[in-house]
Amino acid sequence: EVQLVESGGGLVQPGGSLRLSCVASGFTFSLKDMRWVRQAPGQGLEWVSSISARGTGTVYADSVKGRFTVSRDNAKDTLYLQMNSLKTEDTAVYYCTTGPYPTFIPRGQGTQVTVSS
């Protein structure tokens, strides 16, 4: 059974930073491209970033480019998202997923990120 467990969210002021983690199990993590998606209150799922199975290729949504960095540690079956220069519009529940657009299934339970002064 695929399991994805996100952590690292919280409340941060605008301009601050957070690092999200996602621990994967139930599949061969090192063979799977991975993605981060987010869902703001009252909105649908928004793709944020993708990383290739070996971590050699990364892609970002325009809204986070230059501020967020995705990475992975295949030895630890863990995906990361370093988020810097956070904005109020980054407030959302963040999910890691192996699933494709548009359903992004399977995904974890999510971690709440709130950017507010």
Side-chain angles (χ1 to χ4, degrees):
E1 178 188 2
V2 172
Q3 287 199 330
L4 299 163
V5 180
E6 302 94 340
S7 63
L11 174 63
V12 63
Q13 292 186 340
S17 297
L18 283 173
R19 188 194 195 202
L20 306 184
S21 299
C22 169
V23 178
S25 62
F27 63 101
T28 306
F29 180 76
S30 61
L31 297 182
K32 281 282 193 178
D33 296 345
M34 295 294 296
R35 300 165 185 78
W36 286 100
V37 299
R38 66 186 181 185
Q39 187 166 28
Q43 304 294 316
L45 287 170
E46 177 192 13
W47 169 76
V48 173
S49 180
S50 298
I51 186 168
S52 61
R54 291 189 174 185
T56 53
T58 58
V59 189
Y60 300 92
D62 287 344
S63 58
V64 306
K65 199 174 296 182
R67 300 187 297 121
F68 290 11
T69 303
V70 62
S71 62
R72 63 192 297 162
D73 185 339
N74 285 347
K76 296 182 178 179
D77 291 347
T78 303
L79 177 72
Y80 303 100
L81 186 68
Q82 178 67 44
M83 306 187 296
N84 298 330
S85 302
L86 282 161
K87 305 176 181 180
T88 56
E89 53 263 45
D90 295 319
T91 295
V93 178
Y94 284 72
Y95 302 90
C96 65
T97 178
T98 63
Y101 175 88
T103 63
F104 300 114
I105 292 174
R107 57 181 181 266
Q109 84 292 344
T111 187
Q112 176 70 50
V113 171
T114 302
V115 185
S116 175
S117 56

